[in-house]
Amino acid sequence: MSSLAFTLPDGTRRTVTVTRLLNAGYAGRSQDDVAAHVAELAELGVPAPSTTPALYPVAPYLAQQTGSVPAQHGRTSGEAEWALVVDDTGDLLLTAACDHTDRELEAYGVAWSKNAGPDVLAGQAWRLADVADRVDSLTLRAWVTGEDGTEELIQDSTAAELLTPHHWAEVLRERGELEPGTVLISGTVPMRHGVDQFAGRWRVQLADPSTGNEISLGYDVVRMPEPIG
């Protein structure tokens, strides 16, 4: 388990002791686009899911609020996502997240790759009820910083591209999992072609254009020493 804390726009703090962590996959609103994406990944050797959207259980301790992510090799990368959090009071929160994934391991099994790196969550959140009427207009962006120190936009979309937090809340309710301690990561939006995802730093922003409010996170990807033996 891990314990997370979030600051709401009014300055109040909410906590969650994570007992269940789930990563949605292939969770685009258009399942035709999802099917095309599955076909593209299959050409790269990533096995197709048995159903879409998919839902992958992840070890709860991998839900982290951190500024540093260790990586065993140079082919790991993040993904801009939102996270639905059932806090310790049972209230539903929405925040920014970045699912750091081992792309080498992904070719052997997506579920394995999801458990090989953390889901990094921001330190701020909104009550889902407070943004429920405008979820689709929320923007979701990510930037990567390469070896030359230049930050480059790699993902730029809106939450309308993804299945909604309310969709997943209903799925969790039907599964008996819409309970304090549950965190669900949304799945991601397309990456821009020509931008190197295997970067040394990731930054993700979830923004509300109607209010100007933003939630952001950032972390460095730190290569681990080579193993001995």
Side-chain angles (χ1 to χ4, degrees):
M1 294 188 297
S2 63
S3 296
L4 307 176
F6 301 95
T7 302
L8 301 187
D10 64 2
T12 59
R13 298 274 283 176
R14 298 289 183 88
T15 60
V16 57
T17 302
V18 182
T19 57
R20 181 182 295 108
L21 178 59
L22 299 165
N23 280 21
Y26 308 100
R29 192 88 54 95
S30 167
Q31 287 297 294
D32 287 341
D33 290 346
V34 169
H37 181 54
V38 169
E40 290 174 354
L41 290 176
E43 294 179 357
L44 300 175
V46 178
S50 59
T51 186
T52 61
L55 200 57
Y56 303 103
V58 177
Y61 71 85
L62 290 173
Q64 298 178 15
Q65 291 169 319
T66 181
S68 178
V69 169
Q72 291 184 322
H73 54 80
R75 291 187 62 80
T76 71
S77 66
E79 294 179 342
E81 313 202 11
W82 53 254
L84 178 66
V85 177
V86 188
D87 73 15
D88 289 339
T89 73
D91 203 2
L92 302 185
L93 308 181
L94 192 68
T95 189
C98 195
D99 168 23
H100 201 80
T101 301
D102 187 319
R103 303 302 177 185
E104 291 283 356
L105 192 57
E106 194 172 38
Y108 296 93
V110 174
W112 293 355
S113 70
K114 297 298 183 186
N115 279 276
D119 287 327
V120 181
L121 287 85
Q124 303 82 38
W126 300 318
R127 294 183 63 248
L128 180 59
D130 293 339
V131 295
D133 62 344
R134 55 184 186 276
V135 164
D136 280 359
S137 68
L138 302 179
T139 60
L140 189 58
R141 297 187 176 98
W143 294 262
V144 291
T145 302
E147 293 183 357
D148 64 357
T150 301
E151 187 177 65
E152 190 171 4
L153 183 69
I154 189 169
Q155 293 176 283
D156 186 4
S157 192
T158 69
E161 293 285 331
L162 298 169
L163 294 172
T164 68
H166 297 89
H167 167 86
W168 287 114
E170 186 58 31
V171 170
L172 293 174
R173 183 177 290 109
E174 292 174 354
R175 291 164 57 101
E177 296 176 337
L178 193 66
E179 300 175 343
T182 294
V183 176
L184 183 142
I185 311 295
S186 67
T188 195
V189 295
M191 293 188 187
R192 299 179 68 184
H193 294 294
V195 180
D196 184 8
Q197 63 181 295
F198 303 118
R201 181 170 177 79
W202 273 79
R203 182 167 68 91
V204 172
Q205 177 201 77
L206 181 67
D208 184 352
S210 68
T211 63
N213 291 335
E214 300 176 357
I215 294 174
S216 61
L217 64 91
Y219 62 85
D220 296 317
V221 182
V222 180
R223 287 289 297 273
M224 299 168 63
E226 292 296 322
I228 299 174

